[in-house]
Amino acid sequence: MTTTPWHPREPSPTRPAHAACKVVMLTTFDDEEYVVRALRAGAVGYLLKSLPAAELVDAVRLAHRGVAQLDPVVARRLAAAPPPPGPRAEPAGSPTAREIEILRLVAAGATNREIAAQLYLSEGTVKNHIARILTRLGLRGRAQAALYAREHGLL
């Protein structure tokens, strides 16, 4: 099987043999369309090349552990962008008020520790809420949760 480089304007590649691999996009493009396409294709992170080397190393290690990584510039841009036009498909189970509150903070780029401090919860409780959110909405990670929040007008 020959693999070719993937570009955000092309359909996402299917790589079942490498399904366990975590993909972090490292690019100079902070265009909203590129970010959305990469995250929908399964990337667990989207980082800009302007990120300091030490932060990049930390981001890759966190992505390996399954923690989604969004460049702060990208997160702010997504949070500020208007939701796309058109009807919104509702998930099988809608998130609770507390889950929506946590989802908004995740979409804003807050860490579990920051969410816990802001909502006066333990980090374990925040992790449990996030796991339920991902399961309830059929999402693969924090990055997709942030997209969901944006697309459903929760920001």
Side-chain angles (χ1 to χ4, degrees):
M1 176 168 117
T2 305
T3 59
T4 57
W6 177 73
H7 188 276
R9 291 185 191 250
E10 298 172 4
S12 65
T14 52
R15 297 173 44 187
H18 303 289
C21 290
K22 306 285 193 257
V23 175
V24 176
M25 297 294 291
L26 180 62
T27 181
T28 57
F29 300 106
D30 65 349
D31 184 88
E32 178 185 340
E33 179 186 345
Y34 288 177
V35 176
V36 171
R37 288 190 58 134
L39 296 176
R40 281 196 180 135
V44 296
Y46 196 97
L47 302 171
L48 299 180
K49 288 184 178 180
S50 59
L51 192 67
E55 290 181 37
L56 176 59
V57 170
D58 290 340
V60 170
R61 286 186 177 133
L62 287 168
H64 176 70
R65 294 195 325 240
V67 178
Q69 299 295 304
L70 281 180
D71 190 278
V73 171
V74 170
R76 280 191 297 278
R77 181 173 285 219
L78 284 177
R88 298 177 184 157
E90 288 302 318
S94 295
T96 65
R98 177 60 105 181
E99 289 171 345
I100 289 172
E101 192 174 17
I102 290 172
L103 192 53
R104 285 181 174 136
L105 293 169
V106 167
T111 65
N112 289 350
R113 179 172 286 156
E114 292 166 341
I115 294 169
Q118 186 168 342
L119 300 179
Y120 303 102
L121 300 170
S122 72
E123 280 188 68
T125 300
V126 171
K127 288 178 186 179
N128 288 337
H129 277 296
I130 292 172
R132 278 195 300 274
I133 291 166
L134 298 177
T135 300
R136 182 185 309 267
L137 301 177
L139 304 172
R140 288 182 279 184
R142 294 172 78 101
Q144 285 189 345
L147 277 177
Y148 175 91
R150 183 186 146 287
E151 291 175 349
H152 288 79
L154 299 178
L155 299 177

